[in-house]
Amino acid sequence: MVAKWSTPWPIAFVRSFSAGSNSVICSRPVDSRPPERTAHYVRTYPSRRRNVMPLANFKIQVERMDDAASAPLVFEVQNHDDIFAIVERVRAGTAFAENDAMALAVGLKLFTGVMLNHRHDPLFADVQSAMRMFIGNLKSRIAATMEKT
């Protein structure tokens, strides 16, 4: 006799082993077959992110000012934050020069975006905690400056 098996997650029986990135492929005996035969199923876990933010597309262009012959670097990124609003907050909340504030905000946002996309890469293991601390300090400085004004 085979015991009933239940789970809070939806289960779909499949024949192929192709599954999404948030799925786990398992096998177990099927009640109606002899125990030596198995059916494969995919367990799909509910998404952890309930309110998924829409992504905005940004085009980044870097040109060399003193050499017209060199081609500019142009690339596109997606981000859930409004980079323009972040630049304005960093400009208003820090004592940096305008160009330095823009470079800090855009560079930090681009770097952390790549770091979050590849968070399991060992290359970023050493800087993740330091970046959390740095961003927390930057946000608290901006908030303190905004309260004063």
Side-chain angles (χ1 to χ4, degrees):
M1 177 167 189
V2 177
K4 295 267 184 182
W5 190 79
S6 63
T7 178
W9 301 291
I11 296 176
F13 286 89
V14 294
R15 292 180 187 210
S16 68
F17 289 101
S18 63
S21 61
N22 63 343
S23 301
V24 178
I25 295 179
C26 306
S27 64
R28 71 171 180 87
V30 176
D31 295 349
S32 61
R33 295 184 183 168
E36 65 270 8
R37 297 191 60 192
T38 59
H40 300 282
Y41 65 91
V42 176
R43 179 185 297 170
T44 304
Y45 295 98
S47 175
R48 287 186 225 169
R49 292 183 68 181
R50 298 288 179 221
N51 299 325
V52 178
M53 300 283 295
L55 295 175
N57 295 318
F58 296 96
K59 182 177 181 180
I60 310 295
Q61 181 170 342
V62 180
E63 294 181 22
R64 188 169 180 163
M65 301 298 288
D66 60 348
D67 185 13
S70 64
L73 298 174
V74 179
F75 58 96
E76 294 179 9
V77 295
Q78 289 184 331
N79 203 297
H80 62 274
D81 289 326
D82 182 7
I83 294 178
F84 293 106
I86 292 172
V87 167
E88 288 303 316
R89 283 196 302 266
V90 171
R91 272 188 197 164
T94 60
F96 300 135
E98 188 172 335
N99 284 341
D100 290 341
M102 283 192 288
L104 173 66
V106 173
L108 189 61
K109 198 64 193 164
L110 292 176
F111 178 75
T112 55
V114 172
M115 187 176 73
L116 286 174
N117 287 341
H118 303 281
R119 67 180 140 263
H120 300 296
D121 191 323
L123 177 66
F124 296 110
D126 295 335
V127 296
Q128 285 179 348
S129 61
M131 286 303 292
R132 274 190 221 106
M133 185 181 297
F134 176 77
I135 291 171
N137 291 340
L138 180 63
K139 285 181 177 181
S140 64
R141 179 184 285 188
I142 290 171
T145 303
M146 295 299 206
E147 286 178 3
K148 292 178 185 176
T149 57

